[in-house]
């Protein structure tokens, strides 16, 4: 069974940091584009950051540029999202998705194409 499992969310104060993990089971992430998406209450899913095959190509939404970093560790079959200087508006449920044929810009702008798993909750509050 092909699965992606998100973890690493939690409650953090504004300005704090969290590192999310997206681990695959049943398939190898090496040959897939991976995207992190989020959904805040009452809003649609939005693309946060996407990474291409290899680390050369990455995309970040304007709202997180300079604060979030996406990376992959193929030895652990895991994609990470390092989130620094978190803001209350980053509060959302975070999900990851995989796509074998796309590009990082397209993937992050087409959240509606993907089915998401359980995700992980990030709450930024004082």
């Amino acid at each position: 069974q092909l699965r992606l499992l998100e973890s690493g969310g939690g409650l953090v104060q504004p300005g704090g940091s969290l590192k999310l993990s997206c681990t695959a089971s049943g398939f190898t992430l090496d040959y897939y584009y991976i995207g992190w998406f989020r959904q805040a209450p009452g809003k649609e899913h939005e693309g946060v950051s996407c990474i291409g095959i290899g680390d050369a190509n990455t995309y970040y939404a304007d709202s997180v540029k300079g604060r979030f970093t996406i990376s992959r560790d193929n030895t652990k079959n895991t994609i990470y999202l390092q989130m620094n200087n978190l803001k209350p508006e980053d509060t959302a449920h975070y999900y990851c998705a995989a796509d074998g044929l796309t590009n990082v810009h397209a993937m992050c702008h087409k959240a509606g194409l993907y089915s998401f798993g359980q995700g992980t909750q990030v709450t930024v509050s004082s």
Side-chain angles (χ1 to χ4, degrees), residues 53-85:
I53 298 170
D55 293 341
N57 295 317
T58 57
Y59 170 88
Y60 296 94
D62 287 343
S63 59
V64 307
K65 205 171 291 183
R67 301 187 296 122
F68 290 11
T69 303
I70 191 170
S71 62
R72 62 165 74 227
D73 185 341
N74 290 339
T75 65
K76 296 182 179 180
N77 214 23
T78 298
I79 303 295
Y80 301 102
L81 185 68
Q82 177 67 48
M83 306 186 297
N84 298 328
N85 191 21

Side-chain angles (χ1 to χ4, degrees), residues 1 8-9 17 22 24 32-33 44 57 65 86 103 122:
Q1 186 177 6
S17 298
C22 170
Y32 287 84
Y33 291 78
E44 296 184 349
N57 295 317
K65 205 171 291 183
L86 282 160
N103 62 69
V122 172

Side-chain angles (χ1 to χ4, degrees), residues 34-37 47-51 58-61 64 69-70 81 108:
I34 305 297
W36 280 100
F37 300 84
V48 175
S49 182
C50 294
I51 188 168
T58 57
Y59 170 88
Y60 296 94
V64 307
T69 303
I70 191 170
L81 185 68
C108 266

